[in-house]
Amino acid sequence: MVQIGYTMMTEQAGPRDLVDHVVQAEEAGFDFSVTSDHYFPWLRSQGHAPHAWTVLGAAAQATSRIPLMTYVTCPTFRYHPAVVAQKAATLQLLSEGRFRLGLGSGENLNEHVVGGGWPSVDVRHEMLEEAIGIIRALFEGGHVTHRGAHFDVDSAKLWDLPDEPPPIGLAVSGERSCELAGRLADLVIATEPKGDLLDAFDRHGGKGKARVGQLPVCYDPDKEAAVHRAHDQFRWFGSGWKVNSELPHPDSFDAATQFVKPEDVAEAIACGDDPDDFVAAVKPYADAGFTEIALVQIGGDSQPAFLDWSAKKLLPALRDAFG
């Protein structure tokens, strides 16, 4: 059985709209939700980047059932890991146990704003491992003092802790991140339907743990309009993680994708209003072994129509196909 989730994509909608959308997603019957955590949109045409944690706090109060999750937060540059631990504990309390803390090594696009530079990926993984250790230590209660290679913590303590700390998920894209996830995380996160990532996760201790995937879709009764919108706002998606994590600005993504054609996007992203096309897009994730799959509907203004269609047609079709 595969659970189907909804993505609050902060790059394409303002904060009040994002909360309205997740309320509608809960009403539509989505099994869970995830939230991106960006300082910049990928492309200027997306047009937004509100503070994800503020949005999540509002969403926790506006909803009652749907699980919430960061997808993902980088706990090493914009946010110190001690602050991430405090935010996650608070959100777990506000949501009454519905929150999961999704973490990753970040993207230059969002993390450069604090002026700390952008080190090589091996250093970013070192920082991530150290950050997770700090977060877990704080979740245990008591005072934490830490002097590490990348972070210092001076007698920190979380004064408001939930009975159960939020599970920690880790985004993966290769062997090293899979090793970290299998050893340190409660679940794995990926944006590509690659079975070898899950195999590596299992080899390093991930067997039996949840695995959460994500894919973009673009619903519209006018398929041509859907393709145009997907190309306008999401043509960066196929560049791959090695590229997406390094570029520093939306204009960089615009330049890097200037030769991507609408037909290229249409081949990679399900567009239109045929549920069978969306089922076919989800299938590689289900076949690879993902237990949860979050959909990203492209276009902030299109969310209400997509959510209404999902309740009536898409979710029933996906549940018929995947349980």
Side-chain angles (χ1 to χ4, degrees), residues 99-163:
F99 178 64
R100 295 181 292 178
L101 176 60
L103 300 175
S105 58
E107 302 101 7
N108 195 9
L109 175 71
N110 303 302
E111 308 308 322
H112 78 270
V113 297
V114 295
W118 192 239
S120 62
V121 66
D122 58 327
V123 174
R124 301 199 307 263
H125 284 149
E126 289 176 9
M127 296 176 73
L128 183 59
E129 180 170 4
E130 187 176 339
I132 292 170
I134 292 167
I135 292 167
R136 286 211 183 271
L138 286 164
F139 282 170
E140 291 175 3
H143 291 269
V144 174
T145 294
H146 172 87
R147 296 288 181 266
H150 302 286
F151 301 105
D152 291 336
V153 180
D154 186 1
S155 189
K157 174 182 168 62
L158 300 182
W159 289 90
D160 290 274
L161 275 171
D163 292 336

Side-chain angles (χ1 to χ4, degrees), residues 71-272:
Y71 204 98
V72 294
T73 284
C74 175
T76 53
F77 291 93
R78 277 183 297 152
Y79 310 132
H80 189 283
V83 176
V84 172
Q86 183 190 36
K87 293 190 294 187
T90 298
L91 195 49
Q92 182 76 319
L93 289 166
L94 285 172
S95 65
E96 298 182 287
R98 290 183 285 134
F99 178 64
R100 295 181 292 178
L101 176 60
L103 300 175
S105 58
E107 302 101 7
N108 195 9
L109 175 71
N110 303 302
E111 308 308 322
H112 78 270
V113 297
V114 295
W118 192 239
S120 62
V121 66
D122 58 327
V123 174
R124 301 199 307 263
H125 284 149
E126 289 176 9
M127 296 176 73
L128 183 59
E129 180 170 4
E130 187 176 339
I132 292 170
I134 292 167
I135 292 167
R136 286 211 183 271
L138 286 164
F139 282 170
E140 291 175 3
H143 291 269
V144 174
T145 294
H146 172 87
R147 296 288 181 266
H150 302 286
F151 301 105
D152 291 336
V153 180
D154 186 1
S155 189
K157 174 182 168 62
L158 300 182
W159 289 90
D160 290 274
L161 275 171
D163 292 336
E164 294 292 333
I168 293 177
L170 200 60
V172 300
S173 59
E175 183 71 23
R176 172 59 173 151
S177 54
C178 287
E179 185 272 327
L180 289 176
R183 180 163 52 88
L184 302 175
D186 303 303
L187 57 136
V188 69
I189 294 164
T191 57
E192 296 176 281
K194 293 183 176 179
D196 58 340
L197 292 176
L198 301 186
D199 291 341
F201 175 61
D202 287 346
R203 283 197 309 274
H204 294 291
K207 287 184 179 179
K209 297 178 182 179
R211 43 214 67 204
V212 187
Q214 185 186 56
L215 79 156
V217 297
C218 197
Y219 162 78
D220 198 292
D222 182 340
K223 185 170 183 176
E224 184 176 343
V227 171
H228 174 77
R229 185 167 68 246
H231 178 261
D232 179 54
Q233 297 191 23
F234 239 82
R235 63 185 181 273
W236 57 271
F237 189 75
S239 299
W241 196 251
K242 289 183 179 181
V243 174
N244 290 345
S245 64
E246 298 294 337
L247 297 180
H249 195 274
D251 292 345
S252 307
F253 284 89
D254 185 51
T257 59
Q258 61 182 309
F259 298 114
V260 177
K261 300 176 182 178
E263 51 266 33
D264 300 327
V265 174
E267 288 181 6
I269 297 174
C271 295

